[in-house]
Amino acid sequence: MNKAEENEDHALIELCQRGDKASFGKLVEKYMQRAYFTALGLIGDHEIALDLSQDAFVRAYRSIHKFVPEQNFFTWYYQILRNLCFNYWRDHARHARSFSEIGALDIETIVDTDQNSEKLAEQNEMKQALWQAMNELKPHEREIIVLKDFQELTYQQIAEALNCPIGTVMSRLFTARKALKQKLERFFND
């Protein structure tokens, strides 16, 4: 996020803190897709990801007076969303859908018609393996991969979101990627 976007967010938040609901609506429009995909990456269910990301926006609105201007809005919002996702995951872990059940439909809806069917089948198999491996990761490992590799947050943004030093982020990411690699190697060696 560049400085102009950050300043725009802070202006909207300031208006919102003075009671302008439309300003918060603009923030929701700006971040709703990112919030949804973050929740989807953490939970693995389309409907639940939608519900949790919307619930997080409601809670963010109710707590907007607590927002500190030095913060990044999404990083602050992410704390709320993360707590909701982890609470959901904790409460429903036994009944959660696996990431592999999400399938290609939710993740990628555009199909290249020029690809041959063999290549397409191979790509689908790799996607399935990736989601299955993601599903087998520990929640904190999955979270850091979603933040860095899916959401493309910087180390600094992840550190702020997780409230930990950058070195810890790097260490956790290394460990999570190593665990993911081991799970994928197991799949491709079978």
Side-chain angles (χ1 to χ4, degrees):
M1 170 181 288
N2 63 40
K3 195 67 179 169
E5 286 179 299
E6 200 168 305
N7 288 339
E8 181 183 327
D9 284 359
H10 286 157
L12 290 171
I13 291 165
E14 200 173 305
L15 288 170
C16 186
Q17 287 175 329
R18 288 191 227 148
D20 182 6
K21 293 178 182 176
S23 296
F24 193 77
K26 290 177 183 173
L27 286 169
V28 171
E29 285 176 22
K30 182 175 180 179
Y31 291 108
M32 65 185 191
Q33 186 175 15
R34 187 174 175 188
Y36 162 74
F37 281 112
T38 300
L40 182 63
L42 294 173
I43 296 297
D45 183 287
H46 166 72
E47 293 297 325
I48 295 168
L50 274 176
D51 288 347
L52 292 176
S53 59
Q54 289 172 0
D55 192 19
F57 278 118
V58 170
R59 290 177 187 222
Y61 179 74
R62 290 181 183 152
S63 301
I64 198 72
H65 62 281
K66 296 178 185 174
F67 181 82
V68 180
E70 291 79 29
Q71 292 178 295
N72 171 292
F73 175 76
F74 191 80
T75 303
W76 178 75
Y77 166 83
Y78 176 74
Q79 292 291 329
I80 298 167
L81 180 62
R82 177 182 191 253
N83 288 338
L84 287 173
C85 289
F86 278 26
N87 288 344
Y88 178 85
W89 195 83
R90 180 197 63 219
D91 296 342
H92 298 89
R94 279 186 263 152
H95 305 293
R97 288 175 57 196
S98 72
F99 280 95
S100 58
E101 291 178 42
I102 296 171
L105 183 61
D106 290 338
I107 302 301
E108 186 175 319
T109 55
I110 299 171
V111 176
D112 184 356
T113 55
D114 292 338
Q115 292 181 330
N116 65 38
S117 59
E118 185 177 315
K119 191 173 183 176
L120 194 58
E122 186 177 305
Q123 286 179 342
N124 285 337
E125 187 177 339
M126 289 184 72
K127 272 189 226 171
Q128 190 103 16
L130 175 63
W131 286 115
Q132 184 165 345
M134 286 287 291
N135 192 46
E136 293 174 4
L137 291 176
K138 296 173 185 166
H140 67 276
E141 293 172 334
R142 187 179 322 141
E143 176 185 37
I144 201 138
I145 288 176
V146 166
L147 292 175
K148 182 63 182 160
D149 297 329
F150 291 30
Q151 293 297 316
E152 300 178 344
L153 296 183
T154 64
Y155 289 118
Q156 181 64 41
Q157 290 170 323
I158 296 171
E160 289 172 14
L162 301 179
N163 197 23
C164 64
I166 289 177
T168 302
V169 170
M170 295 170 84
S171 171
R172 287 181 186 171
L173 185 60
F174 175 78
T175 304
R177 284 178 174 164
K178 187 176 172 183
L180 181 61
K181 182 181 174 190
Q182 287 173 343
K183 292 181 187 311
L184 287 172
E185 283 175 348
R186 187 188 68 210
F187 175 82
F188 289 109
N189 289 334
D190 285 344

